[in-house]
Amino acid sequence: MAQFFLFDHPLIQHKISILRDKNTSTKEFRELVHEISMLMAYEVTRDLPLTEKVIETPVATTTAKVLAGKKVALVPILRAGLGMVDGMLAIIPSAKVGHIGLYRDPNTLKPVEYYCKLPEDITEREVIVLDPMLATGGSSSAAIQFLKDRGIKNIKFVCLISAPEGIERLQKDHPDVSVFCAAKDEKLNDHAYIIPGLGDAGDRLFGTN
Ligand code: PRP
Ligand code: URA
């Protein structure tokens, strides 16, 4: 059963507030996205299965818990999802990484796909889709559908800032996908930007506008 997780950890909330500030530099923004993603990875991977293994410590033999070897794949939605990859990899270093390129057409606000490259064994992996922003939910819903069309069943979605409209859309389109957010904001404006949000995540990460 899919769930919705909102992170209330003070460190995450503090870092999200700096991220929102329009005076935060590109360098600092990038570092914060990295740090927040790393902190979120801890909770996102909470249900990874464990198995037992006999090991020798310097003083005794013991049965210890180790990860059962469930394989993970990270799939950032280009561009802005790229900013979350290294932080996640710091905690899940053996994950493979696939990429989906989507942009939101500024006139129709509909997602347009322009790139897709996924690990060959992705259907055997637990897939964590990454995008800092969940606004209308159009991009993330399309990316998840795209993965499902390729036979991928086990999917989680991780974002930094979400709008109620996007959460509702994802829960309706993909009730099987658990959603992890660092913040749930108030609403979308007339251009489907999240209010208060942080502006355009891709532009702030890469210094474009
Ligand atoms: C942003 C963001 C999401 C999307 C969210 O990407 O990174 O992918 O908008 O909006 P939605 O929930 O309404 O679809 P954008 O389309 O600006 O592309 P970019 O990452 O290349 O800047
Ligand atoms: N995409 C962004 O980068 N920011 C928003 O507020 C909405 C969509």
Side-chain angles (χ1 to χ4, degrees):
M1 174 67 188
Q3 286 177 286
F4 176 75
F5 297 87
L6 191 58
F7 289 75
D8 59 358
H9 194 288
L11 278 176
I12 294 183
Q13 294 308 307
H14 178 80
K15 289 175 193 293
I16 287 284
S17 300
I18 307 173
L19 209 55
R20 290 184 188 281
D21 190 330
K22 67 176 186 185
N23 295 314
T24 296
S25 68
T26 300
K27 173 179 178 288
E28 206 183 349
F29 191 92
R30 220 175 266 152
E31 288 167 356
L32 285 161
V33 170
H34 176 92
E35 288 168 12
I36 298 165
S37 305
M38 199 159 71
L39 292 169
M40 291 178 81
Y42 180 74
E43 198 56 38
V44 173
T45 53
R46 176 174 285 283
D47 61 354
L48 282 181
L50 290 170
T51 185
E52 292 188 334
K53 180 182 172 188
V54 176
I55 58 162
E56 306 244 347
T57 78
V59 287
T61 300
T62 187
T63 304
K65 292 189 195 312
V66 292
L67 287 171
K70 183 157 186 172
K71 297 176 182 171
V72 174
L74 304 175
V75 179
I77 301 177
L78 305 179
R79 290 177 298 168
L82 283 176
M84 300 174 71
V85 173
D86 285 352
M88 287 271 162
L89 281 177
I91 303 296
I92 331 166
S94 58
K96 286 193 178 172
V97 182
H99 296 86
I100 291 186
L102 288 176
Y103 69 87
R104 201 172 63 160
D105 183 288
N107 298 315
T108 64
L109 299 179
K110 299 259 181 290
V112 181
E113 181 206 314
Y114 61 88
Y115 185 78
C116 179
K117 184 85 180 171
L118 302 170
E120 224 170 273
D121 61 353
I122 192 153
T123 52
E124 295 156 31
R125 293 178 175 262
E126 169 167 323
V127 174
I128 303 176
V129 179
L130 306 172
D131 193 325
M133 308 305 276
L134 174 59
T136 64
S139 308
S140 46
S141 181
I144 290 167
Q145 190 54 53
F146 199 58
L147 295 171
K148 287 182 173 177
D149 292 345
R150 283 167 165 71
I152 299 155
K153 292 193 173 65
N154 199 346
I155 303 173
K156 291 174 177 169
F157 177 74
V158 184
C159 65
L160 303 188
I161 312 258
S162 60
E165 293 88 335
I167 297 167
E168 203 176 304
R169 167 88 188 263
L170 269 195
Q171 288 180 331
K172 180 171 152 283
D173 292 356
H174 303 290
D176 54 313
V177 173
S178 289
V179 177
F180 299 77
C181 302
K184 180 178 175 181
D185 279 10
E186 203 185 314
K187 59 179 181 185
L188 297 177
N189 70 9
D190 293 344
H191 303 284
Y193 270 80
I194 300 175
I195 302 296
L198 49 70
D200 186 303
D203 283 347
R204 296 203 60 191
L205 257 177
F206 297 110
T208 51
N209 54 42

